[in-house]
Amino acid sequence: MLDFDFSSMLYRIPALLIAITIHEYAHAQTAEAMGDPTPRFMGRLTFNPLAHLDPIGALMLIVAGFGWAKPVGINPNNFRNRREGILKVSFAGPAANLFLCFLAALIVALMTKFGVMTKGVYSFLLWTQLYNVWFAFFNLIPIPPLDGSKILGELLPPRTAYQYENMVGQYGFYILLALVFTGIVGVIIRPLASIYMTLVNSIFGIVF
């Protein structure tokens, strides 16, 4: 899906920046709402993509379909409810991406219905959908340091979570690289992304 193609960079780069920004902003805003001001103090409670961008991670996402943003730092001790805070903050990023994918699909449906869609706008909105749906499900993979590992850590018994983090955490980056470059990540994410996109487009097909 994410082939390297210079001709599409005009649409892909803005779509990628939006996906990364909304993901990290959602983490920061949710942490703030749960009582932790750390993201605000670190300048992450912003829609400025430069505050969230990791250049190497963004390049990898464009080239390989695997990448990362600059993680939002949090202090769980500031949460009014530690477990609830970690779960909500971890879910917030992927949920924001899925919502943005939904919103982009809605705009496509509306513009198409009223006959105002252009090729350039369609390309941008399509990449916005693709990056957001893939970014959402990729981050839900339970491998550290992805959001899914934090969610899993709160759902497992404390001792098991500690053992999992110790065993997998130190190798998490290398595991993710192996999953990406062997194509396993695509095998995991592609059907989930396809189901979500089909569901969203079916809803708009019925409505419009």
Side-chain angles (χ1 to χ4, degrees), residues 14-26:
L16 172 62
L17 290 176
I18 290 171
I20 288 174
T21 300
I22 196 68
H23 182 97
E24 299 302 333
Y25 177 82

Side-chain angles (χ1 to χ4, degrees), residues 164-188:
Y164 180 79
E165 177 64 31
N166 277 350
M167 180 177 63
V168 180
Q170 58 184 322
Y171 305 111
F173 180 75
Y174 302 104
I175 294 172
L176 288 172
L177 279 178
L179 292 177
V180 168
F181 289 108
T182 58
I184 295 176
V185 158
V187 172
I188 296 170

Side-chain angles (χ1 to χ4, degrees), residues 1-23:
M1 181 199 73
L2 301 178
D3 301 324
F4 190 71
D5 175 13
F6 283 106
S7 66
S8 65
M9 289 298 106
L10 179 65
Y11 313 111
R12 294 174 64 174
I13 290 175
L16 172 62
L17 290 176
I18 290 171
I20 288 174
T21 300
I22 196 68
H23 182 97

